[in-house]
Amino acid sequence: MPSNKVMVSAQDAGKPSSQMEKETMSSTGSQFSVAGDANNKVDNDEEEEEKEEKKKPLTNKEKIDEQLLILLNSMSFNVFMGVLTIFALVGDDMRLAFFERQDDPLLQGLSAAGMFLFSFECGLQFYLKTEYRWSFYFYLDVISTASMIPDTGWLDSILIGESTGNLKAAKTSRAGAKASRVVKIVRLIRMVRIFKLMKIRNQKEEEEEEQDAKDRGLDAEPSKVGKKLTELTVRRVILIVLGMIMVFPFLDSPASFLGSDDLNFLQSKGVDELHMLTTVLNSTGAISSLMFEDRVKSFALQDASNEGSYKTGKILYLRLQGWDQSITNSWISSTNHPHGHILYSLDQIYNEDAFRVVDTPSYFPKDSDSNTTYGTMVIYDIADSQKNASELSLGLTGFVILILCAAVIGFSRDAETLVIGPIERMINLVKKLSENPLASLYNEKHANDAKGTDAFETQMLESTLEKISSLLQVGFGVAGAQIISSNMSSGGDLDVMIPGKKITSIFGFGIIEEFTNTCSCLEEEMCTYINTIAKIIHDNSVKYHGAPNKNIGSAFLLAWKICDGVLPGLRDLREPEGEELDPATKVELRLGIAMASKGFGNNARDVEAQEIVDSAMISILHMRIDLHDANKANGILAPFKKNEKLCGYYGKDFQVQMGFGMHIGWAIEGAIGSQYKIDASYLSPNVNMAARLEAATHQFGCPMLLSGPFVNELSEKAKSMCRKIDVVTVKGSQTPLQIWTVDITNLKLSNPKIVKEVQQPVDFKEVMKVQNGLDPNFTRTFNLAIAHYCGGHWGKAKTCLAEAQKLMPEDGPTKSLMGVMEKNQFEAPKDWKGYRALTSK
């Protein structure tokens, strides 16, 4: 059956060659260079403005502010303030629990110093950080700092001054005890400052993550939504916990909290009984003095060990209405109480700093004459119970800190997992796509998380964005990288009409043979058939540092991009012949030119131009071998070959065949189309040349043709595998074009090695095995024939070709060359210059 080929270039199909050539050449017009220059000028101006802004010298005030800000944000300063915060939380309780009265001035002085430092920090932040002024944390800092005033001892001095009378001091001590309870509650607001330590730790981790992202070429800025959500979560947790702390005492023990019952019930009950007895004794004489003495002694012993008795603290002072205090004191002192009651005067208690105010609550019975110096009054020493209470308060403080931190961490972790993390990853994905449009974006874990009905919306959105980004990469390919990057990195409307970019690349063009008739036979299976072949073509292209660009029906355009601009030392086919650069000069000019590629590895490396050229040729060889394996009985194309219509049309021995053409040169990489439909591809006569070489595979009877310029760029080892089969001129160019092919006799080729997830350069010892079994006499004889042919000695060429045909009867190029010479009776034309015009594209 005749071969039905689709002759197209990457950018168009069905147009005459001359028209396509004109369009491709016009695509490099000045309008693109002007637009590109304008964009570059704007970018450069913005960069210059930023540089000039940075160069402006700082004023003295700005320098001072900068140093203060560095101090405020330094780790050492914040750690010091964090330690001071811990002291502010537990210092007063530790004073009451573990230190004596004479140590109070030192500890209160430390509290005063801490209050000053907190005030300094608060003022410094208010001055330097506009976001801190009048913020939620500003008010909390002010309240927590003000709550330290009672810890400094100033409140005691105000409540009990030197000129205050003893009786008034006793009453005001009750107010001080009540105030201390309120202060302990307000003091817990200081725990908010603990979060500064947590913020420092989190900030350090974020800085490490940002540095790691920068090392990987990403700009990983935290999400604004994430910051806001975290801040709101922390605020709510703080308000909830502080609200609980302040409300719970009212709900748990309101009488005790409000100070309406300074002493416990048993203590106050005992005093009330003694006061009642004094009243009865004085007014009625119902009990004797001796009986009353026993009751006083019993009261003094009530806290000893008698089960069921009214337990009291140490009695420091006792005055009973209508009784001489010296008498009652002698009664109590004679009891030999285990606690050793030592009765003090009011001066000793309040004016000699022998006791803490909070440790000496006083009590007056309700009907006692508290306005005179003779009313019933008792003062207890409750230091032991205060110590126990302080120890419990320390435990409460630690527990609340634990609960507060756990709540914040829990809320933040939930927000991070469910919202912030996915949002930040999506932002980074878009940034990564804009910076490197060809980077791998698929994440198996995210894809698995998004499966099922239990997946969260953010997980599904993240997975969907990854899929969309991957589809963009697949749809646009390498040629569309600039389109993706430009639109992803800028705001505003979608802009596809961006200028093209001149690049140097190797172009491979492949066409599936017998496409039209195969399509008629396979019908609905045709897409699967094409895609099965496409997998072979695309896999081998990517494996060897190339990229698929276009699929048009049966045609595939492949590109191995070498560099932006024109590769130094590379001659254009349309240029007149001239001196070729020597290899050493080429190597020097091309130093540092490389493209990042990972092939089938996981990590990319820089691949130099020489390796890319060699890899492109090997890629086509691997395609031919894989296509041969796919045609086997157990190959991936076997199900299609069993199609009844296909077998009826071609027979059971039908083989899927492809032709390939390869050429190297410049091209314009960019978007082609309009806002309705665009294709990212390459515009250049060099693309057309690859298509023409593929079409010529029928004339030469071989599946693979290489252009002379491409072969000239191959390494010596790769070039030694090639065979020159003709020299021609193509339409639109008078420069002779050598045509080469590569023979394959051993249809086995291993994949490139991957070491530590990096694909290694091709091993030509392995590659050259594909020519095992190739008769060297045939190659030598054919090469001699082609030399005679180009030299105009067609008779000698005929003799050599005849000998070569005996060695390889089915060799297509031998038959083709014999046919060309036979048309002229094996005599070279008189105007023979060593090449002929190619009669077909």
Side-chain angles (χ1 to χ4, degrees), residues 4-253:
N4 184 17
K5 293 195 169 224
V6 180
M7 292 310 305
V8 293
S9 67
Q11 67 275 21
D12 210 339
K15 291 185 179 180
S17 174
S18 59
Q19 182 181 349
M20 289 190 285
E21 290 168 2
K22 290 178 182 178
E23 290 178 358
T24 56
M25 297 302 291
S26 65
S27 67
T28 61
S30 60
Q31 57 177 332
F32 292 136
S33 62
V34 170
D37 291 342
N39 290 336
N40 291 335
K41 186 176 184 301
V42 172
D43 293 339
N44 292 336
D45 289 344
E46 291 177 353
E47 291 177 2
E48 289 297 324
E49 288 177 3
E50 291 178 0
K51 290 180 180 178
E52 289 297 324
E53 189 69 23
K54 291 180 180 179
K55 290 180 180 178
K56 289 182 179 179
L58 297 175
T59 63
N60 291 334
K61 180 180 179 298
E62 289 174 339
K63 290 179 180 179
I64 295 172
D65 290 350
E66 185 179 28
Q67 293 301 316
L68 289 174
L69 192 61
I70 292 173
L71 171 67
L72 197 61
N73 294 329
S74 66
M75 176 64 73
S76 56
F77 179 81
N78 281 281
V79 169
F80 172 76
M81 296 305 295
V83 173
L84 199 60
T85 299
I86 300 294
F87 173 78
L89 280 171
V90 301
D92 196 60
D93 285 327
M94 291 180 67
R95 177 177 67 88
L96 297 175
F98 305 115
F99 293 88
E100 299 300 329
R101 175 66 182 84
Q102 57 268 25
D103 300 322
D104 285 1
L106 174 62
L107 296 173
Q108 289 174 342
L110 290 176
S111 296
M115 187 176 70
F116 170 79
L117 288 174
F118 287 139
S119 301
F120 170 78
E121 183 198 26
C122 184
L124 205 58
Q125 291 195 90
F126 188 91
Y127 170 70
L128 294 174
K129 297 183 179 181
T130 55
E131 69 275 10
Y132 178 80
R133 297 173 190 171
W134 316 116
S135 68
F136 173 79
Y137 290 104
F138 166 75
Y139 289 111
L140 284 182
D141 282 348
V142 170
I143 295 172
S144 62
T145 302
S147 71
M148 294 187 67
I149 294 176
D151 295 353
T152 62
W154 300 343
L155 185 62
D156 292 358
S157 300
I158 295 172
L159 291 175
I160 306 172
E162 293 181 0
S163 61
T164 304
N166 294 335
L167 181 62
K168 189 173 181 181
K171 293 181 180 180
T172 54
S173 69
R174 299 176 66 195
K178 296 176 186 178
S180 68
R181 297 189 184 98
V182 179
V183 168
K184 283 187 177 182
I185 297 301
V186 178
R187 185 193 304 160
L188 293 175
I189 296 178
R190 302 173 201 166
M191 281 187 291
V192 175
R193 305 184 65 88
I194 293 295
F195 288 98
K196 292 191 175 181
L197 290 178
M198 296 175 60
K199 284 183 177 180
I200 296 169
R201 180 175 176 273
N202 293 338
Q203 183 179 0
K204 186 176 181 182
E205 291 179 353
E206 289 176 2
E207 289 174 354
E208 291 175 352
E209 291 176 359
E210 289 177 11
Q211 185 60 44
D212 180 64
K214 289 178 180 177
D215 293 341
R216 291 184 287 114
L218 301 176
D219 186 11
E221 293 182 359
S223 166
K224 293 181 180 178
V225 176
K227 283 185 175 180
K228 188 65 177 177
L229 182 59
T230 301
E231 182 182 350
L232 290 176
T233 302
V234 172
R235 282 190 188 184
R236 289 189 175 92
V237 170
I238 291 171
L239 291 174
I240 289 171
V241 173
L242 292 180
M244 290 167 57
I245 292 171
M246 292 185 175
V247 172
F248 276 3
F250 291 95
L251 300 177
D252 183 42
S253 181

Side-chain angles (χ1 to χ4, degrees), residues 13 15 118 136 182 199 232 267 356 387 541 555 637 678 693 786:
K15 291 185 179 180
F118 287 139
F136 173 79
V182 179
K199 284 183 177 180
L232 290 176
Q267 290 174 327
R356 296 183 176 119
K387 178 179 180 180
S541 172
L637 292 175
I678 60 169
L693 289 172
I786 201 71

Side-chain angles (χ1 to χ4, degrees), residues 269-282:
K269 183 68 174 177
V271 178
D272 287 341
E273 283 190 1
L274 286 180
H275 179 68
M276 180 188 67
L277 289 176
T278 61
T279 305
V280 173
L281 181 63
N282 291 334

